[in-house]
Amino acid sequence: MAPTPINKNKVVCLVNGRVHRRSGGDFLENLDPSLQTVIMRDYPEATSHDFICNEHQVKFRLEVLDTLFHLDLQKNFTVNDLLNEELTKANFEIHDVEEQLQTQETIGERVADKVTEFVGSWAFILTYLGILVVWMFVNVSGIFGVEWDKYPFILLNLFLSITAAMQAPLIMMSQNRAAHHDRLSAKNDFQVNVKSEKGVAALHEKLDHLMMDDQASNMQIQKIQTEMLGDIQILLNEVYQQNQDIRERLDDVEDQLDDFEETFDSFEETLDSIEENTDDEEEEGEGMANAD
C-alpha cells in the first residue's frame, strides 16, 4: 500500500514514520535492485511506492557494500582454492638429469663412456692408423729380422676383428646411456611444460576473475558509493537549510526582543514621567495647605 502524502511536497518515511520532503529521499521503485532487496528483507511488507529518506538509504547502502565485500572475498577464496588444487595436481617433481645419472652409473658404464669418447676422436684414428702402418712395414720389410705376421697379415686381421668386436658392445653401452639420458630429459621437459601450462592457465583464470567478476563488483560498489555521496550531500544541504531557518528564526526572535526592550524602555520612561508628575502635584498640594 502506497504511503499517504502529507501534501504534494512531503511524504512519510517507511523506516521511522517521520515527515520528509520529497527531495529528501526516493521511492522504493526508483532505487537500485540490490538496495531494494536489502530493504525488503528488513521490511517485507514494503511496496514499490513506499518512501525511504536519504538518511536510511545511506544505512541500507552500507549494508549492500558490506554484502558485496564479503561476496567478493568469498569468491576470491574459492578461486584461489581451485587454482591451488589444480597446481597441486600438477606438482610434478623436477629432477636434475645429469645428477641422477651420475648417482646411478657404474664403473663399467664410466669405462664405456671413456672408451667411446676416445674411439670417436682423431687421437684414436691417428694412433690406430700408426699401429697398422708400423705393423705392416715391419712384417713386410723384416727390418729387425722379425716377421711375426707375414702378408696377408692374418694376425693383424684377427687383431682388427677382436678390436671391432670389443668396441661394438662398449659403444652400444654408451649409446644406451645416451638414450636413457634423452628419455629422462624428455620426461623432465614434459613435466616442466605441463607444470608451466597449469601455471599459465591458473594466471588466466585469475585474470578472467579479476576482469569479469571483480570489475563488475567494483563498478557496483563505485555506483553505490557515488549514490551515498549524493545522499550525504543532500543531507548536508538539508542540515544547512535547517540551520539557515533556525538562524532566521533566531534573528526574528532577537528583533522581537529588541522591539520588546524598546517598548519596555518607553514604558519605564512613561512610568517615570507619571511618577514625576505625581510628585509635583503632591508638592503643590502641600504648599497650598501650608499657605492656608
Side-chain angles (χ1 to χ4, degrees):
M1 180 179 179
T4 303
I6 304 300
N7 53 45
K8 65 178 183 179
N9 292 323
K10 293 185 178 181
V11 289
V12 177
C13 177
L14 170 68
V15 179
N16 56 13
R18 293 175 57 186
V19 178
H20 294 270
R21 297 187 183 93
R22 287 179 180 266
S23 60
D26 208 341
F27 293 99
L28 190 61
E29 59 185 353
N30 299 326
L31 300 178
D32 189 82
S34 59
L35 188 59
Q36 293 183 22
T37 302
V38 175
I39 296 173
M40 295 295 292
R41 180 195 64 193
D42 293 344
Y43 297 91
E45 297 180 356
T47 64
S48 60
H49 302 289
D50 283 318
F51 181 84
I52 305 293
C53 65
N54 291 325
E55 178 182 357
H56 291 93
Q57 284 186 39
V58 171
K59 171 192 171 184
F60 287 119
R61 286 195 174 98
L62 287 174
E63 292 184 12
V64 173
L65 285 177
D66 187 61
T67 303
L68 289 175
F69 286 142
H70 281 84
L71 288 176
D72 285 344
L73 190 62
Q74 186 176 2
K75 286 181 181 178
N76 290 329
F77 283 145
T78 303
V79 171
N80 287 331
D81 291 339
L82 291 175
L83 296 180
N84 291 331
E85 184 179 353
E86 290 295 329
L87 292 177
T88 302
K89 291 179 181 178
N91 189 20
F92 303 110
E93 186 176 358
I94 309 302
H95 301 283
D96 185 350
V97 177
E98 297 294 337
E99 181 180 357
Q100 186 176 0
L101 288 176
Q102 288 177 3
T103 57
Q104 294 177 354
E105 68 180 0
T106 62
I107 297 176
E109 290 175 343
R110 293 178 186 175
V111 173
D113 289 340
K114 294 296 182 182
V115 171
T116 302
E117 183 180 356
F118 176 69
V119 170
S121 65
W122 278 104
F124 172 77
I125 295 174
L126 295 176
T127 302
Y128 204 68
L129 184 61
I131 292 173
L132 292 178
V133 171
V134 171
W135 183 292
M136 288 185 291
F137 176 75
V138 170
N139 284 280
V140 170
S141 64
I143 188 170
F144 297 109
V146 179
E147 297 178 357
W148 69 84
D149 187 19
K150 294 182 179 182
Y151 183 82
F153 313 114
I154 297 174
L155 184 60
L156 179 60
N157 288 327
L158 178 62
F159 175 72
L160 294 176
S161 298
I162 293 172
T163 304
M166 293 299 296
Q167 284 179 350
L170 294 175
I171 293 173
M172 290 298 295
M173 289 173 62
S174 180
Q175 288 180 347
N176 288 336
R177 277 178 48 78
H180 183 55
H181 178 276
D182 293 339
R183 285 195 299 271
L184 289 178
S185 297
K187 182 179 179 181
N188 204 42
D189 293 340
F190 174 75
Q191 291 176 347
V192 170
N193 292 334
V194 170
K195 191 168 185 178
S196 300
E197 185 179 359
K198 292 288 186 180
V200 172
L203 289 177
H204 277 295
E205 264 192 75
K206 283 190 175 181
L207 289 175
D208 292 340
H209 172 68
L210 289 174
M211 293 179 64
M212 301 298 293
D213 295 338
D214 284 357
Q215 188 175 11
S217 298
N218 289 334
M219 294 295 292
Q220 181 70 11
I221 290 172
Q222 290 178 2
K223 177 184 176 182
I224 293 175
Q225 288 175 341
T226 303
E227 292 175 349
M228 287 176 61
L229 290 175
D231 292 341
I232 292 172
Q233 184 62 45
I234 292 173
L235 290 173
L236 291 175
N237 292 336
E238 289 183 353
V239 172
Y240 177 77
Q241 185 63 41
Q242 291 176 358
N243 289 335
Q244 290 295 108
D245 294 340
I246 292 173
R247 288 179 181 178
E248 291 177 358
R249 292 177 183 176
L250 289 175
D251 292 337
D252 293 338
V253 172
E254 288 179 354
D255 293 338
Q256 292 176 2
L257 288 175
D258 292 338
D259 294 339
F260 179 75
E261 288 179 356
E262 291 177 359
T263 304
F264 185 74
D265 291 338
S266 62
F267 180 71
E268 285 184 342
E269 291 176 357
T270 303
L271 288 177
D272 292 338
S273 62
I274 292 172
E275 288 179 356
E276 290 177 357
N277 292 331
T278 303
D279 292 337
D280 291 339
E281 289 178 356
E282 289 179 353
E283 290 177 356
E284 289 178 358
E286 290 177 356
M288 291 177 64
N290 292 329
D292 293 337

